[in-house]
Amino acid sequence: ADQAFAQYQSTIKIDTGFFAPYFNMAAILHNKGEYAAAIPLYQKFLIKYPKQLEAYTNLSFAYFQLKDFQNSIAVNRKAISATGNAFYPTVNIAKTYTVMGQTDSALFYFEQAHAMQPNDGGVNLNIEKLKSGNTQPTK
């Protein structure tokens, strides 16, 4: 992974307009648990590729891992408006609110996700758990 990272670094030095390696570099850091270092690389990638849902998902997860819940939620909201794909970002917002202990907000977003995909077992389970007073999100 370190060798691949070095290759990507030299690629972006040679061609400063080539943004694809930023995602790969961020993913390498992400997989090593180096979330704070991955965040600016995901951000740089998203400037060039603003409709890349996976980059938003990873960026929001990096913020989540750093317990920066507000930025995690903000990234998911931006993902919805930028990509038009609302289901996964909505679920991520709901899970974040669950961890924050904001059950009413979590339930609101899980119910929005349920309206989009009524047969999603994970969403339905989370709704049941929250309504029964269990505040641990199901993956």
Side-chain angles (χ1 to χ4, degrees):
D2 293 332
Q3 194 174 0
F5 190 85
Q7 280 297 126
Y8 292 129
Q9 274 186 316
S10 60
T11 302
I12 57 175
K13 281 183 187 143
I14 295 165
D15 183 355
T16 54
F18 187 46
F19 283 76
Y22 286 107
F23 181 85
N24 298 327
M25 290 165 62
I28 290 168
L29 293 170
H30 188 109
N31 291 334
K32 288 164 59 173
E34 296 177 21
Y35 302 109
I39 287 170
L41 297 173
Y42 285 130
Q43 290 170 328
K44 192 147 183 142
F45 176 81
L46 284 164
I47 290 167
K48 186 73 174 172
Y49 301 102
K51 295 192 178 302
Q52 232 294 346
L53 183 60
E54 189 181 358
Y56 287 107
T57 302
N58 290 359
L59 177 58
S60 78
F61 183 76
Y63 279 123
F64 182 87
Q65 289 299 108
L66 295 170
K67 299 196 177 354
D68 184 346
F69 300 130
Q70 295 306 325
N71 268 320
S72 181
I73 290 168
V75 167
N76 281 298
R77 287 194 172 126
K78 188 169 183 186
I80 293 168
S81 61
T83 68
N85 184 331
F87 180 73
Y88 295 106
T90 301
V91 170
N92 291 338
I93 291 170
K95 287 180 179 179
T96 304
Y97 277 126
T98 304
V99 169
M100 292 168 73
Q102 296 183 19
T103 347
D104 291 347
S105 295
L107 200 51
F108 173 80
Y109 282 96
F110 275 128
E111 286 174 341
Q112 279 195 331
H114 173 77
M116 289 176 236
Q117 290 192 21
N119 299 323
D120 187 281
V123 167
N124 295 336
L125 185 62
N126 276 298
I127 290 171
E128 281 176 36
K129 285 172 73 174
L130 285 169
K131 284 185 174 175
S132 72
N134 184 335
T135 56
Q136 289 305 309
T138 303
K139 295 208 183 307

